[in-house]
Structures are given as structure tokens and as C-alpha cells.
Amino acid sequence: PRPKSFYKEANKKKLTWMNISNSIEWRTKLKKINLSNFYTYSFYKLDSKQKSETVFRDYSKYSTDFNNIQYNTASKISENGWQTIIEHPINKMHHLNYGAKLSQRTFTVNTVNITYRDSTKAVYDRDTFKNPKVNSVDFYVYADYLFSWKEKIDIKTGAQLFLYHAKGKTFFYPQPRIEIIYHPIAGMSMRASVLQTVQPMHLLTNNTGDIQNDVWVPATAKIEPETAWQYSGGIQYDHPKGYTASVDAYYKSMHHLSEYKYGATFILDKIAWDDQLLNSGTGKAYGVEFFFAKTKGQFTAWFKYNLGWSTRQYPELNDGKTFYYKYDRRHDISIVLQYKLKKHFDFSM
């Protein structure tokens, strides 16, 4: 018997990603001072196209319902930057590094275009929404002091004064850091470090696992820059015959993390994007890494095993309970084997 109806559904997704980066570098030496200057320009774009088409025919009523919607979203970031680095060796025991960096970024956050077509593929309606572009400026000056004593102790300490401005709001952060390296015997080093970091951009990831809606957004008065303290330590031994082994541990605590409100998975139309986000998140990342390498001879290899955790906690999400984050990597193993013949062939696995 002839069917009473017919139904067909088709979905198509396409992702276009691009990145352009250019830089100009100028180096010079003035007596004991090495001076480096950099101008950089970069452009980033993420373009997502999603098309949905449905056809429903009711043979008893001689009717056909056709629906074709194409949903395009685009996010862009352009950046101009200037950086000056000054290396100032005083003597064998004392060394200074200092400099400054200025960056200007323009964010296009999730431009949306929706196209509706009829059964003849002709366009009968369009809907376009553009978030206002956001301009941001960040500037920092830094100074680092390196002290070396008899190839036994290296101490590197310093601070970065960070200034960030966007949408009429200015943030200021002092960022201290210190690293100590101790060489008890030849070939062995023990190290420990503490530093504070600031990130004036937020990466919004789609909780459904669809990369097409991942987007970078700038920090504003409503969503402050991310801040973190990182603590790390480790021990490494380099054998004269070309063997290296190390163990490193780390712990990182993060604050002012951002996420979509109420389980949403992308920025909605016609609502200010920074009104759709939470900025109350805290996070932790911690773990230990084991590394072993053979670095001399025709056959070389290295092995790395990382045991790590990454968690997030928001009072407004998941009943306020801590959950494992998208980039949680409990067990991460890497093995690389390389063999070099005498002349023209290298093999790696």
C-alpha cells in the first residue's frame, strides 16, 4: 500500500578557521645592553555554517511542508602589538631583563546571519544580528633579576605590572614571580617556582562538544579578566652519556572564570553577550609529569607520562558542585622513537 506521508531531515555543518600572523623585529646592541623591538599583527577568524532542511508530505491532503534554514556565525579578533625587551648583563652573577608591551585588539563577537528558503531554494526572509565591536588595550612593564652563584644556585625573581582597559573599565594587576634552581651535583637540578598570571580573554566552550560554537571574548566590567596562581617544582638529571630523566609537579588555582549561564551552549541573538555569561567560576589544575629521554646516538627516544586533573566550580551551575572540566586529562602518555641513518634517511614513530 502507498504510504500516507513522507518525512526527510538533513543537516550539514561546515567550519572554517584561519589565522594570520606577521612580525617585524629589530635588534641592536648598546655596550652591555641588548635591545630588541617587535611589531606584531595577527588576525583570527572562526566561521561556522549550519544548514537544516526538512520535508514533510501528506499524501492524503496533497500538501508539502518544506523548511530550509541556514545559520551562519562568525567571530574575529585583530591585534596590533609592540614589545621592547632589554637584556642587561651586569656580571657573571647578576643579570637584569626588563621591558614593556602594548597590545590593541578588536573583537567581533558572534555575528549571526540566518537565511530562510522555500521549496524552490529562493530566499524569503533574512535575519541578521551583530554584537557591537569591542576594542581593548593592555599594557605591561616588567623587570626580572637573575642571580647565579657558582653554578650551584640560580634565582630568578621579578614582577609584571599589567594594565587592561575595555568598555570603559580599567583593571590593574601586579604579577610577582620567583623561580629557584639548585644544582646539588653535576647534571642534577632541583627547581621550584611561584607566579601569578592574568588573562584578559575568555574562551567559551560549547558543553555539547561541538567546536563550532567555541568563541574567544574579551574581559569587560561584567566579566573580569581571569587570574591564577601557579606553583610548581621538580627534579631533573642529565647523564653525560645522553640520558635525561625528570619529575615535575604543579598546582594552579584560577579565579573569575567565565561560562554560559543556565546551561546555554552558545551566545543568543539580540541579547548583550556579556549579560549571558557567568564570571564567578573558580578552577584547579594539578598533577605530576614523568619524563625520560635518550638524546645521543643514532637512536633517540623520549617518553612522557602526565597524571593530571582539571576542575571547575560555579555557584550557579551543577548545584554548586565541582565538576571535571573539558580539558581534564587523567592519563596522558607520549612515546617518540627516532632513528637516523648515516646520510639521507630519518625514521620516527
Side-chain angles (χ1 to χ4, degrees):
R2 184 178 181 182
K4 295 181 179 180
S5 63
F6 169 80
Y7 178 78
K8 179 182 179 181
E9 180 178 348
N11 293 284
K12 184 178 181 180
K13 298 181 179 181
K14 181 180 180 181
L15 178 69
T16 304
W17 177 89
M18 66 171 293
N19 186 55
I20 298 172
S21 181
N22 299 286
S23 65
I24 299 174
E25 178 181 350
W26 171 59
R27 293 177 180 268
T28 188
K29 189 171 183 178
L30 304 172
K31 294 184 178 180
K32 288 187 176 182
I33 295 178
N34 294 319
L35 181 65
S36 302
N37 294 280
F38 304 88
Y39 166 75
T40 58
Y41 170 78
S42 66
F43 177 77
Y44 164 84
K45 180 180 179 181
L46 182 67
D47 223 340
S48 171
K49 296 182 179 180
Q50 304 183 51
K51 184 164 67 175
S52 176
E53 182 176 291
T54 59
V55 179
F56 176 74
R57 293 191 179 97
D58 189 336
Y59 294 114
S60 62
K61 297 179 180 180
Y62 301 99
S63 65
T64 300
D65 292 325
F66 180 87
N67 190 22
N68 182 297
I69 301 176
Q70 182 166 317
Y71 188 87
N72 297 351
T73 62
S75 298
K76 305 174 185 177
I77 305 173
S78 62
E79 177 180 359
N80 290 279
W82 179 271
Q83 183 174 13
T84 297
I85 300 174
I86 301 172
E87 299 176 72
H88 187 177
I90 299 174
N91 52 43
K92 291 183 178 181
M93 294 177 60
H94 306 279
H95 194 109
L96 289 175
N97 287 335
Y98 43 91
K101 184 178 181 180
L102 175 67
S103 297
Q104 184 277 326
R105 301 183 184 92
T106 300
F107 291 80
T108 302
V109 180
N110 225 40
T111 298
V112 180
N113 291 288
I114 306 175
T115 305
Y116 303 88
R117 301 177 187 273
D118 59 22
S119 58
T120 65
K121 306 294 184 180
V123 176
Y124 68 86
D125 194 12
R126 292 182 187 273
D127 193 6
T128 300
F129 173 71
K130 293 183 179 181
N131 286 285
K133 291 185 178 181
V134 180
N135 292 305
S136 70
V137 177
D138 60 68
F139 173 75
Y140 69 75
V141 293
Y142 74 93
D144 287 324
Y145 166 66
L146 175 63
F147 171 76
S148 299
W149 181 71
K150 295 183 178 180
E151 298 184 350
K152 282 289 185 180
I153 296 179
D154 296 322
I155 300 176
K156 184 177 181 180
T157 184
Q160 178 174 292
L161 304 180
F162 183 82
L163 190 73
Y164 174 77
H165 179 85
K167 296 184 73 172
K169 178 70 172 180
T170 301
F171 299 89
F172 174 75
Y173 300 92
Q175 297 174 253
R177 52 181 177 252
I178 184 170
E179 181 181 21
I180 300 174
I181 303 175
Y182 173 57
H183 307 275
I185 60 175
M188 178 176 285
S189 61
M190 304 171 66
R191 52 187 177 269
S193 67
V194 179
L195 71 152
Q196 185 189 33
T197 60
V198 176
Q199 180 173 297
M201 295 188 292
H202 299 272
L203 177 61
L204 303 176
T205 63
N206 188 329
N207 293 324
T208 63
D210 186 353
I211 194 175
Q212 295 186 6
N213 284 321
D214 284 7
V215 60
W216 285 98
V217 296
T220 66
K222 297 177 181 178
I223 49 171
E224 297 183 20
E226 299 177 10
T227 61
W229 281 94
Q230 180 169 304
Y231 311 86
S232 62
I235 183 170
Q236 178 173 324
Y237 180 68
D238 299 306
H239 194 275
K241 293 185 177 181
Y243 296 95
T244 296
S246 67
V247 179
D248 289 277
Y250 63 93
Y251 179 87
K252 186 176 184 179
S253 62
M254 295 163 278
H255 302 274
H256 298 296
L257 302 177
S258 289
E259 183 58 89
Y260 294 108
K261 288 182 178 179
Y262 316 124
T265 57
F266 55 90
I267 293 174
L268 301 173
D269 300 349
K270 301 177 182 177
I271 302 175
W273 60 268
D274 49 359
D275 283 332
Q276 302 180 47
L277 306 180
L278 302 171
N279 190 226
S280 57
T282 59
K284 295 179 182 179
Y286 51 93
V288 60
E289 180 180 279
F290 300 88
F291 179 81
F292 176 80
K294 180 181 181 297
T295 58
K296 292 183 179 181
Q298 284 182 279
F299 173 74
T300 58
W302 60 266
F303 167 84
K304 182 180 71 173
Y305 168 66
N306 184 78
L307 175 63
W309 291 263
S310 181
T311 62
R312 296 287 190 271
Q313 192 270 332
Y314 291 82
E316 304 89 346
L317 298 179
N318 197 39
D319 293 328
K321 298 176 182 178
T322 299
F323 57 91
Y324 292 109
Y325 191 54
K326 182 177 181 178
Y327 299 113
D328 183 77
R329 294 291 184 268
R330 195 60 44 82
H331 303 284
D332 191 352
I333 299 175
S334 299
I335 301 173
V336 175
L337 308 176
Q338 295 176 317
Y339 184 75
K340 296 182 180 182
L341 293 182
K342 292 183 178 180
K343 288 189 178 180
H344 306 297
F345 294 95
D346 296 342
F347 299 93
S348 64
M349 180 174 66

